[in-house]
Amino acid sequence: MRTDMESGMKSSRIAQAAAVVYVLWGLLHLQAAFMVYKLGNTLENGMVYGQMLQHAWNLLFASILAITIAVTMNWKKRRDGYWINAVLVSLVDLGFVFFILFPGYVPMWPGALGPVTWLVAWALSWLALKGANS
């Protein structure tokens, strides 16, 4: 039979693991932002060029925010951090899955690396919160 303290320590370690995976997701998407920026710079000036740079900008700041939330809130098993990163990262990756990965514009692997990282981070943070409430 585990004590409440042992259960709390275990859920804290799971929360910290989730934070690490969210940081990895953020780093992966910082790289993606740079790649989108480089791709955008191969285009002629115009609306598509501007939208590619805007997409790179959005990826950059979503990545920075996800990393910041992971380090400051998910690490500490905060419920608000769980929801912020769950919604932010889900929205970013679902757009990628629906409009780029599933149509086949990138190969399934390594294209699925971001969504897999998102799902692992989300699951770990959910387990940490569930463990804190039991």
Side-chain angles (χ1 to χ4, degrees), residues 3-113:
T3 66
D4 286 343
M5 190 163 114
E6 288 172 334
S7 179
M9 287 174 44
K10 182 177 181 186
S11 67
S12 290
R13 287 192 302 269
I14 294 171
Q16 291 169 351
V20 168
V21 179
Y22 272 125
V23 168
L24 292 174
W25 181 94
L27 294 173
L28 179 67
H29 286 74
L30 284 174
Q31 178 189 18
F34 180 66
M35 292 169 64
V36 170
Y37 174 77
K38 284 180 20 180
L39 178 61
N41 276 324
T42 66
L43 302 172
E44 253 180 65
N45 282 339
M47 186 61 150
V48 174
Y49 167 78
Q51 289 198 324
M52 288 296 288
L53 295 187
Q54 179 188 16
H55 183 57
W57 175 274
N58 291 341
L59 274 175
L60 171 68
F61 284 98
S63 301
I64 291 169
L65 184 57
I67 291 168
T68 302
I69 297 301
V71 170
T72 62
M73 300 171 93
N74 296 125
W75 186 268
K76 297 175 185 174
K77 199 172 45 175
R78 287 184 41 186
R79 183 171 301 280
D80 51 353
Y82 164 81
W83 282 108
I84 293 168
N85 260 352
V87 171
L88 171 68
V89 173
S90 295
L91 289 172
V92 170
D93 267 7
L94 283 172
F96 173 77
V97 167
F98 291 142
F99 301 113
I100 297 173
L101 188 61
F102 282 173
Y105 298 128
V106 297
M108 192 57 74
W109 193 259
L113 186 57

